Amino acid sequence: TSESRMAGVLLIKHTAQQSPQLFAENVGKWTTVLVGVLGKAEITPVVEAVLQTLLAFVDAVRDIPMLHREIVSAQVPRINQAILALADKNPDLTGPVLQMLEHMATWFPKLFRPSIDKTAALCLRLLDGSASRASAELCAQAAQCLAALSLAGGRVASEERWFEYVQQAVGTIQQCIDRIMCAETGDSVQSAFALPELADNFVVAIPQAADRISAMADVLVALLTQPTAEDVGVPVDAILGAASRLALVPVRAASSKMARAELDVVPVLAPQIQRASVRIMAALAISLGSLMYPYLSAVARAATAIGTQQISSAATRVALHNLLQLYIERYAYGFVVHLPYDLIITAVGEICVYQRSQAPPPTLEIVPSKKRSGSGKARGASALSDETAPVAHLRWDDTTLAAQAMVLALLLHTPTMLTSALRTQIDSQVLTLLMLYAIGGIETPFATRESDVPYKVQLLRCLEASLLSPDPWQRAIVPHAVAVFNASQNDPSPRVRAASAAALVAIDPIIHSRLPAQL
């Protein structure tokens, strides 16, 4: 029965993990039995357990040279063929199959060469845009598996296959952009993946093209972040050109003079297209490092094209802030000098989450006290009890946290790029929030204060960075900052207490009694 086979597979797995001697003596027999199970009609949980056990066996055998001939040379090709057949039989096993194929291509590239074509065909079926919305994780796994195939070589060298995959991914993105913008594909698109044609109906074709762009962005990210044994030539101009075109798609669609119904669909898909551009530019910074210095101005222009639009998607704003934070941390002044100041002002404005509304929540009722003060008002009445008085409340979200991280990067790496007026605005906003927290003057929408912890820690780090890189015309904030750090020592969260303690240690030379005080 399936239950007994599941019990047998788990028994084999745990026995091999607990007894290296039994594993070395019986791994050949166990592997043959497990590969045989893959060829039979079995329920999904049993097959998943078999795949996990085989993956653990192959991983362990890599470190045992005496078993290479018995297991690696004899069984790995059989395993590859068996797991490729599983993807066609049971679509529910596509995820585990892709994970297994990725490891096999990475660990045994020479033995994996006969299976390259079938594996690439399986990955491309998932990367044609049909799985981007249904299963983003499955699409990312397919991209990682396709990137691992470049290590296997085959008819061409591994570095040539890697370069070919990059060119084909860029070419596919260019084709999709041309379809969205109702333009003819030019001669600049040298090659592209052999994917099905987009639908004739633009209502179906344009969303499908946007999904295909997201899938190709995953492929480029996987290829750029995949470690390679040989040096590869990265076509930065082509990749960055595709990312810049993606960033400009909403702008060009809005300013287009063509009266076509297709362009009316673009604003709805703009956040998805722009996030694909952000992911590609982030992968370039992670993989190339200092080699990106000649291209920083182009990245800044693409980021500006994204930031100049009225971004209604919170996920896009978070992605843009994270991208700018990454480039500021890696390239400091080399990147910020190309960045328009409006983007920095926008990020500073988004860290101010202390807002006021004109009416209190309808469920909140405060009964005023009968005692009256000298002004004639009820002493026990709060501002929240007056229907016409404003109410202070917080709106923490991921956009605020990403903006705080970007401002922190500016304070740490490029403090002199901020004007005195902007530094004063940052300090006042951060101090106001932290002091209101200290006196309990903020109403938080969360059920517990634990939800506020990441934001409070980020605010404390921003205040510490501002003190360690003071502006010559900055107003004296040291006494207020010290009071905030001391008050945060009593916070119930250990992360907040640790951040405030670290800040007090860092600013100790500023407030030390034997050193001149900051005036």
Side-chain angles (χ1 to χ4, degrees):
T1 62
S2 299
E3 291 80 3
S4 61
R5 280 188 286 273
M6 173 67 83
V9 171
L10 295 178
L11 179 62
I12 290 174
K13 180 180 178 181
H14 290 290
T15 302
Q17 291 175 345
Q18 297 179 12
S19 176
Q21 182 178 357
L22 288 176
F23 172 74
E25 294 174 354
N26 300 280
V27 63
K29 301 176 183 178
W30 290 342
T31 304
T32 303
V33 172
L34 293 175
V35 173
V37 174
L38 295 178
K40 300 177 181 178
E42 195 54 80
I43 61 175
T44 301
V46 174
V47 179
E48 289 179 349
V50 170
L51 291 176
Q52 294 176 1
T53 305
L54 284 174
L55 185 62
F57 282 6
V58 175
D59 188 16
V61 166
R62 289 190 302 148
D63 300 328
I64 307 176
M66 65 182 64
L67 296 177
H68 280 192
R69 175 178 296 180
E70 181 182 0
I71 303 301
V72 175
S73 301
Q75 299 289 354
V76 166
R78 292 183 57 205
I79 295 174
N80 293 337
Q81 296 299 324
I83 58 181
L84 278 171
L86 284 176
D88 298 329
K89 296 178 181 178
N90 190 350
D92 296 335
L93 293 171
T94 304
V97 165
L98 289 174
Q99 181 185 11
M100 190 86 173
L101 292 172
E102 177 188 352
H103 285 94
M104 289 296 187
T106 305
W107 293 341
F108 312 106
K110 294 182 179 180
L111 295 175
F112 197 82
R113 289 174 183 174
S115 305
I116 288 179
D117 294 337
K118 292 183 179 180
T119 305
L122 171 63
C123 295
L124 291 178
R125 286 204 303 269
L126 300 171
L127 294 171
D128 63 352
S130 58
S132 297
R133 294 180 183 271
S135 178
E137 295 181 359
L138 192 63
C139 186
Q141 280 186 333
Q144 291 288 343
C145 184
L146 188 66
L149 296 182
S150 63
L151 305 176
R155 294 188 299 270
V156 295
S158 59
E159 56 271 19
E160 294 178 2
R161 184 182 295 275
W162 185 94
F163 189 81
E164 179 185 358
Y165 282 167
V166 171
Q167 283 189 318
Q168 290 177 340
V170 172
T172 305
I173 290 176
Q174 300 284 11
Q175 288 181 350
C176 293
I177 295 175
D178 292 337
R179 179 64 180 89
I180 292 173
M181 300 304 297
C182 308
E184 295 293 334
T185 301
D187 297 334
S188 58
V189 180
Q190 300 293 335
S191 62
F193 285 116
L195 299 176
E197 294 291 335
L198 298 174
D200 295 332
N201 187 357
F202 73 90
V203 178
V204 179
I206 293 182
Q208 186 180 1
D211 293 340
R212 188 169 292 183
I213 287 172
S214 298
M216 292 299 107
D218 290 337
V219 173
L220 286 176
V221 170
L223 288 168
L224 289 171
T225 56
Q226 174 77 32
T228 57
E230 303 291 338
D231 294 335
V232 294
V234 182
V236 184
D237 291 323
I239 298 174
L240 195 54
S244 300
R245 284 195 70 191
L246 290 174
L248 291 171
V249 163
V251 180
R252 292 178 176 174
S255 60
S256 177
K257 297 181 180 180
M258 293 188 299
R260 298 182 67 106
E262 290 92 331
L263 298 180
D264 296 335
V265 187
V266 175
V268 181
L269 301 170
Q272 180 183 359
I273 297 173
Q274 290 174 331
R275 288 198 298 272
S277 174
V278 168
R279 294 205 306 274
I280 294 172
M281 291 187 288
L284 285 172
I286 293 171
S287 60
L288 297 182
S290 60
L291 298 177
M292 276 294 293
Y293 274 107
Y295 306 96
L296 294 180
S297 60
V299 174
R301 288 194 298 270
T304 305
I306 298 174
T308 52
Q309 296 297 302
Q310 188 66 27
I311 303 176
S312 59
S313 170
T316 305
R317 293 202 302 273
V318 170
L320 180 60
H321 289 322
N322 290 338
L323 176 70
L324 296 178
Q325 176 196 355
L326 173 64
Y327 272 83
I328 291 169
E329 291 175 349
R330 286 183 175 266
Y331 306 108
Y333 290 96
F335 175 70
V336 177
V337 293
H338 301 291
L339 198 64
Y341 213 69
D342 294 340
L343 285 179
I344 299 176
I345 294 175
T346 302
V348 173
E350 288 187 346
I351 69 172
C352 185
V353 295
Y354 181 68
Q355 301 191 357
R356 306 182 74 84
S357 61
Q358 293 300 321
T363 57
L364 182 61
E365 295 182 0
I366 298 181
V367 180
S369 173
K370 293 183 179 181
K371 296 182 180 180
R372 294 185 175 271
S373 61
S375 61
K377 294 183 178 180
R379 184 178 301 173
S382 171
L384 295 176
S385 65
D386 190 354
E387 295 182 357
T388 62
V391 179
H393 63 90
L394 277 183
R395 290 190 306 105
W396 293 122
D397 54 17
D398 293 338
T399 306
T400 304
L401 188 61
Q404 290 175 352
M406 177 184 166
V407 172
L408 177 60
L410 288 168
L411 291 171
L412 290 175
H413 300 280
T414 59
T416 57
M417 292 296 297
L418 303 173
T419 63
S420 298
L422 199 58
R423 288 292 298 270
T424 302
Q425 181 183 352
I426 294 172
D427 293 338
S428 62
Q429 291 179 178
V430 172
L431 273 174
T432 299
L433 287 169
L434 288 174
M435 293 179 73
L436 284 171
Y437 259 122
I439 64 175
I442 288 182
E443 289 190 2
T444 173
F446 298 114
T448 61
R449 295 179 60 87
E450 184 65 28
S451 303
D452 300 341
V453 169
Y455 306 92
K456 294 171 67 176
V457 171
Q458 201 77 280
L459 290 172
L460 291 171
R461 295 186 63 194
C462 286
L463 184 57
E464 176 191 348
S466 181
L467 290 176
L468 296 179
S469 301
D471 184 78
W473 305 103
Q474 187 179 13
R475 301 188 62 179
I477 61 171
V478 173
H480 307 291
V482 172
V484 166
F485 291 145
N486 288 329
S488 299
Q489 292 289 299
N490 300 322
D491 195 272
S493 171
R495 292 179 57 191
V496 175
R497 294 197 301 269
S500 59
L504 287 173
V505 173
I507 68 171
D508 183 66
I510 300 176
I511 61 176
H512 198 277
S513 58
R514 295 186 181 182
L515 295 176
Q518 178 179 345
L519 300 177

